[in-house]
Amino acid sequence: MTISTATTAQLDQMIAELRDGEHAWAREPLSSRRALLRQLQAAVAAHAEQWVRVAGGIKQLPAGSPLLGEEWTSGPWAVLGYIDALADTLARLEQGRDLLAGYRVGAAPGGRVSIGVLPYNTFDRLLLSGFRAEVWMEPGVTEQETRERAGLGLLAPERTAGVAVVMGAGNIFSIAPLDVLYQLYAYNRVVLLKLNPVADALLPVLAAVSAPFIDRGYLRIVAGDASVGDHLVTHAGVDAVHLTGSEATHDAIVWGTGEAARAAKATGTPRLDKPVTSELGGVSPTIVVPGRWSKADIRFQAEHVATQRLHNSGFNCVAAQIVIVSRDWPQKREFLTALRDAFANAPVRPAWYPGCDVRVSGARRSHPRFEAVGGTAERTVLWDLDLDDDAEPAFGTEYFGPVLGVAELPGTGMEFLDAAVDAANERLHGTLGANLVIDPRTRRQLGPRLREAIARLRYGTIGVNAWTGVGYLTARATWGAFPGHPLDDIASGRGVVHNSLLLHRPERTVVYGPFRPLPRSVMTGEFSLTPKPPWFLSNRTAATTGRRLTAFAARPRWSALPGIFASALRG
């Protein structure tokens, strides 16, 4: 693909405008930067309906479908929540306050510092009852260092860091705007956002939403093919790159392609000699810890695991791909039957993301004993995968679609959990997210050993009875791969985003949720008032709940809560 002279000139002009805009950004005090966030908040609220309508069209969802709830919660709702959290950080910095004042600062295994980031306020306790999240810092990072370094680029807003190109994602439509905000506020860079071609139809919406930043010269948004992206990331006027996508896309950008890329890797000389951060997905596990479950528990958690894979038709970088169960669990067969049923009975929807048919066909060719499971031609379960098989492609290939693998390990209790953690760490490619499902009785029996097992999992977000996607939606949490991937073996990427507290050297986010929904949660002694979550596939009122949550995030108020609760309970 080649790029036209006119397009080149347009892109060069945008970068020149951003170079000028950087000087103005350096002069914006924290109060003005916070005011810009509030203008952005109002613009997102004003265009939320249009955003969801266009997103639903891209994903081929009919008007009125409950599945549009996914677009509300992972679109404008996610952005509004982050704006509010980031604005709170700026207000604290303006006042010279400790950014962690009022947060629960504790300890995690391995001498780590932990910061409780959910719930943050009373509204969180009501709307996400039973959910909590904490950020763990890297080992060796002290509480004093955490407090002193929180704020990142906003500690010296006058010292800007140039122009960043953000290569936007094409699957979840809050990713690109959230990545832009992180570059602006955490790294103190102005931004050129290049949309993924899948999301091109959203350009007018995102331009209208982002007008407060565009009008001041702090942001430009463009569409285009790979040649446009290549021109931007290699441009001499661009100082840094952030991308969301596949490992192959990252390597093509950083190292090139073909023989040139192999030679560059061999000599350690990337074609891109500027900072690159990335979020690249991977093969995410769900570890099902055996216990004594009721039939209702089995049905609910089977649907939970199916949701972890089939949300957004499976086109999520943190979609669960490998379910690890105990071979010795007396209820194993009952659970796997329920999982198959939940997979088969999930709402029918198009496999809308390009290339899905090729990826599914590849998975099926590699596994002749696959099962095509209900709903669509693409839904596939790969049974009886062998975690001792070094050649198993499902452990190293992110299928990015509705393909779910099931593997078994011997043992129960801590023996099983230790083996499952080892398998997830050593056998599965990538470190973005891992899920644990464990009932309250077994959790009590394991005691502090469960937290030690979590510490051994090398993943950037870990969900315990909560899909890691909840971590993505938690504004004060971090999102990104486990730290340590080198450029030439990038796996799930480098760096974090979201992180509205602007923490320095975070290692991971751990999210906890209730094992049972309301009313069974209360009946069995769990303190949670959350019914079936709106991101569950079978939630019948997900779109209504998502719309009401978005309106609430734009303007939090007590009077909106009864309508949200009523919709959620009907789900």
Side-chain angles (χ1 to χ4, degrees):
M1 288 179 285
T2 58
I3 187 169
S4 71
T5 303
T7 300
T8 299
Q10 180 187 28
L11 297 175
D12 293 349
Q13 177 63 30
M14 287 184 173
I15 292 172
E17 291 167 355
L18 287 168
R19 304 291 322 180
D20 291 339
E22 181 192 359
H23 301 302
W25 185 239
R27 294 191 298 269
E28 291 275 16
L30 295 178
S31 58
S32 296
R33 296 186 184 201
R34 183 164 56 88
L36 279 168
L37 285 175
R38 292 308 184 191
Q39 294 174 41
L40 179 66
Q41 183 179 40
V44 171
H47 292 90
E49 288 277 358
Q50 182 189 8
W51 179 330
V52 171
R53 185 171 62 253
V54 174
I58 293 170
K59 299 184 180 183
Q60 302 170 35
L61 296 173
S65 169
L67 292 171
L68 287 170
E70 295 180 359
E71 301 313 308
W72 282 103
T73 54
S74 68
W77 184 54
V79 174
L80 287 166
Y82 184 72
I83 290 170
D84 200 59
L86 189 56
D88 179 66
T89 292
L90 268 82
R92 287 171 177 244
L93 288 170
E94 287 175 63
Q95 298 159 13
R97 296 173 57 198
D98 177 359
L99 285 184
L100 299 187
Y103 288 87
R104 179 174 42 84
V105 179
R112 295 171 172 90
V113 172
S114 68
I115 301 105
V117 294
L118 182 76
Y120 172 69
N121 55 27
T122 302
F123 289 142
D124 285 346
R125 292 183 179 89
L126 292 171
L127 293 172
L128 289 167
S129 173
F131 287 86
R132 62 185 179 92
E134 54 190 18
V135 175
W136 293 9
M137 306 304 290
E138 291 181 3
V141 176
T142 66
E143 179 178 340
Q144 180 180 350
E145 180 184 355
T146 300
R147 291 183 185 275
E148 290 175 351
R149 299 293 295 274
L152 298 179
L154 293 184
L155 295 176
E158 72 283 356
R159 293 206 296 266
T160 52
V163 176
V165 164
V166 169
M167 303 289 283
N171 59 333
I172 294 291
F173 297 136
S174 59
I175 292 177
L178 291 176
D179 290 349
V180 165
L181 288 173
Y182 201 69
Q183 290 293 322
L184 281 162
Y185 286 84
Y187 289 110
N188 218 8
R189 297 173 181 137
V190 293
V191 182
L192 199 156
L193 168 61
K194 194 277 183 187
L195 295 180
N196 186 299
V198 175
D200 280 355
L202 272 170
L203 194 153
V205 179
L206 294 179
V209 163
S210 306
F213 291 90
I214 293 173
D215 292 347
R216 288 166 177 78
Y218 307 147
L219 173 64
R220 293 291 182 266
I221 307 176
V222 298
D225 59 21
S227 65
V228 170
D230 192 67
H231 180 78
L232 293 172
V233 300
T234 57
H235 198 286
V238 168
D239 302 283
V241 174
H242 177 79
L243 69 110
T244 302
S246 69
E247 187 173 0
T249 299
H250 171 275
D251 283 357
I253 288 172
V254 173
W255 299 98
T257 57
E259 188 57 43
R262 287 186 286 274
K265 279 193 173 184
T267 58
T269 53
R271 71 188 282 260
L272 215 61
D273 59 347
K274 58 190 71 174
V276 180
T277 53
S278 52
E279 191 262 82
L280 306 173
V283 177
S284 293
T286 293
I287 299 169
V288 181
V289 181
R292 288 170 53 196
W293 296 9
S294 70
K295 291 185 181 300
D297 293 338
I298 287 173
R299 286 193 303 271
F300 179 78
Q301 291 301 340
E303 186 179 346
H304 188 189
V305 176
T307 293
Q308 292 171 10
R309 181 71 234 185
L310 293 178
H311 181 279
N312 197 30
S313 288
F315 304 126
N316 289 331
C317 47
V318 76
Q321 182 163 308
I322 303 296
V323 181
I324 303 176
V325 298
S326 168
R327 186 176 299 138
D328 301 320
W329 184 23
Q331 295 178 291
K332 177 197 73 174
R333 183 51 49 197
E334 187 179 357
F335 173 76
L336 292 181
T337 298
L339 177 60
R340 183 198 178 281
D341 291 344
F343 214 68
N345 296 329
V348 176
R349 60 185 302 173
W352 59 272
Y353 201 88
C356 179
D357 55 340
V358 175
R359 293 187 294 274
V360 171
S361 295
R364 290 179 173 184
R365 280 196 306 272
S366 301
H367 303 87
R369 294 179 57 241
F370 74 86
E371 183 180 6
V373 181
T376 71
E378 293 81 15
R379 276 187 206 165
T380 303
V381 177
L382 311 176
W383 300 104
D384 302 321
L385 300 179
D386 183 0
L387 284 163
D388 290 326
D389 182 1
D390 291 337
E392 172 53 64
F395 302 153
T397 304
E398 182 187 6
Y399 289 128
F400 205 66
V403 178
L404 183 71
V406 178
E408 299 180 13
L409 288 171
T412 58
M414 206 63 217
E415 176 192 7
F416 167 80
L417 183 54
D418 279 339
V421 168
D422 289 341
N425 284 342
E426 305 301 334
R427 295 293 298 115
L428 306 185
H429 187 66
T431 63
L432 186 61
N435 310 281
L436 283 172
V437 179
I438 182 168
D439 66 272
R441 182 190 293 111
T442 304
R443 187 169 169 175
R444 288 192 297 270
Q445 290 171 349
L446 296 185
R449 292 178 297 170
L450 173 62
R451 198 161 166 86
E452 292 164 4
I454 293 170
R456 287 206 306 116
L457 273 169
R458 296 194 296 268
Y459 287 84
T461 299
I462 297 167
V464 181
N465 294 334
W467 178 37
T468 47
V470 180
Y472 173 88
L473 294 172
T474 301
R476 291 173 172 83
T478 59
W479 184 253
F482 195 79
H485 296 300
L487 270 182
D488 59 354
D489 186 16
I490 197 63
S492 292
R494 301 173 82 173
V496 299
V497 291
H498 304 184
N499 184 29
S500 70
L501 284 172
L502 304 179
L503 299 169
H504 175 66
R505 292 181 61 194
E507 180 187 61
R508 72 181 82 194
T509 286
V510 184
V511 184
Y512 303 87
F515 181 73
R516 301 178 178 99
L518 187 72
R520 289 192 302 112
S521 55
V522 175
M523 292 166 56
T524 55
E526 276 190 288
F527 185 73
S528 170
L529 303 178
T530 300
K532 180 183 290 186
W535 53 85
F536 265 47
L537 297 169
S538 63
N539 191 302
R540 296 167 299 192
T541 60
T544 301
T545 302
R547 179 184 287 105
R548 292 178 180 179
L549 284 169
T550 300
F552 176 83
R555 190 168 65 89
R557 58 208 183 279
W558 288 99
S559 60
L561 295 182
I564 295 172
F565 291 146
S567 178
L569 288 168
R570 290 195 302 271

